[in-house]
Amino acid sequence: MDAPLVRAFLASLRDDPPDEKALERVRTCLATLQSPDVRYLVGRVSGSGAAAIARVARAVLEAAGARTGILGRDVGGIELDGGAIDDALLGAAGTLAAASAYQIGTTDPGLGELTRREVVVILGLVAFAEASRRVALLVDEVVDMSDPLYAPRPDLVVIGAADAHHLEAALSRVPEGCPVVVAPLADGELERVERLVIDRGIPALVGGRDYGVRETDGSIEFVVRDEPYVTVAPVPGVEVSDLATGIAAALGLGVLGIRMREDWVLAGIDALRAVPATT
């Protein structure tokens, strides 16, 4: 299929909200495609500010040499090399995604038909593998854990600003042994999150406890365990807490196999500052 046919195929699919079988359908399709998501590190970023956090993390990771893709809400939200997916890759990944959808429709009709959103997620995950990404960041700003974005197992979970209900729900769905980065929290919520991660045995970098920022003279000092790490200038369109969480997310993924240096963090933030913020 070429890109126009892929777009026509997507347009023909039902645009329904996730049902109880959405995650199973996507996981089944990924299995038929030999689990493309295992070929790169998966960071799932949820909560308010998730898109900005992902932008910061991508900038730092790419400065460190780790090519990074971002998967948002639709085909336009599949980003590689700072831009939308090109037609050649859209055609190739879309063909594979459509083939997997047709296959489970034939072999396991009880799962029901895939929705447009489900196929977009499959397409994005395939595209990242085909484009040899080192990292994929899956962005969910509304914390909807029935969304097909939650089908692949993450290597790192990043939780941006969220209310108490969403924060607890997001932590409850962290796979066993998966590390978590939590955005800086107010004191009351910090204590609550500390109890949750300790009770569940979650390895966590918690904002306000393990990392944070100090703002002085127009600069932002990122600190880890109260020790200065890097000092950067503000990034237009990015909240200070999101900037800190994005840097922490990049460092968290770095622990999983990406060499990270302070000067690469600085280079990534400088590169991000040169790109106009998107809404």
Side-chain angles (χ1 to χ4, degrees):
M1 296 169 66
D2 58 17
L5 281 176
V6 170
R7 293 189 179 95
F9 170 67
L10 290 170
S12 73
L13 298 173
R14 59 192 177 98
D15 190 18
D16 295 343
D19 60 26
E20 70 281 357
K21 293 185 178 180
L23 298 182
E24 184 180 359
R25 283 193 294 268
V26 173
R27 287 171 181 147
T28 300
C29 284
L30 292 175
T32 69
L33 294 166
Q34 299 182 324
S35 302
D37 51 298
V38 303
R39 291 166 57 182
Y40 42 78
L41 294 172
V42 176
R44 191 173 67 216
V45 189
S46 63
S48 176
I53 292 167
R55 285 180 60 226
V56 173
R58 177 178 63 187
V60 173
L61 290 164
E62 293 199 333
R67 300 176 72 198
T68 300
I70 292 179
L71 176 55
R73 294 299 306 173
D74 51 29
V75 170
I78 302 172
E79 299 181 20
L80 299 117
D81 302 318
I85 183 172
D86 64 35
D87 279 359
L89 185 55
L90 177 61
T95 298
L96 292 170
S100 71
Y102 288 133
Q103 181 172 337
I104 71 162
T106 300
T107 60
D108 202 346
L111 286 177
E113 296 181 358
L114 273 77
T115 66
R116 187 180 308 162
R117 172 63 176 154
E118 291 162 24
V119 174
V120 165
V121 169
I122 296 164
L123 190 159
L125 296 171
V126 171
F128 296 147
E130 293 292 304
S132 300
R133 297 297 100 163
R134 182 70 181 89
V135 178
L137 300 174
L138 316 184
V139 177
D140 170 32
E141 294 195 278
V142 298
V143 197
D144 178 6
M145 282 167 288
S146 65
D147 189 271
L149 202 70
Y150 286 75
R153 189 189 192 282
D155 297 290
L156 177 74
V157 170
V158 184
I159 304 173
D163 61 33
H165 171 73
H166 282 161
L167 188 58
E168 186 167 352
L171 286 170
S172 72
R173 291 288 295 272
V174 174
E176 184 176 357
C178 179
V180 174
V181 172
V182 181
L185 301 165
D187 290 343
E189 292 207 345
L190 176 58
E191 293 175 3
R192 188 160 173 262
V193 166
E194 285 184 314
R195 288 196 301 271
L196 287 170
V197 298
I198 290 171
D199 289 347
R200 294 202 57 215
I202 299 173
L205 281 173
V206 180
R209 183 192 72 176
D210 304 306
Y211 74 92
V213 289
R214 300 176 183 138
E215 297 182 71
T216 56
D217 299 325
S219 295
I220 299 169
E221 184 179 61
F222 179 81
V223 299
V224 178
R225 295 289 188 180
D226 289 326
E227 292 295 324
Y229 183 72
V230 292
T231 299
V232 300
V235 177
V238 178
E239 298 289 338
V240 171
S241 61
D242 294 337
L243 182 65
T245 307
I247 294 173
L251 296 178
L253 284 162
V255 171
L256 301 176
I258 299 168
R259 188 181 175 198
M260 194 66 64
R261 295 195 329 219
E262 294 175 24
D263 56 326
W264 291 339
V265 175
L266 293 171
I269 300 305
D270 284 343
L272 180 64
R273 193 178 299 109
V275 178
T278 57
T279 57

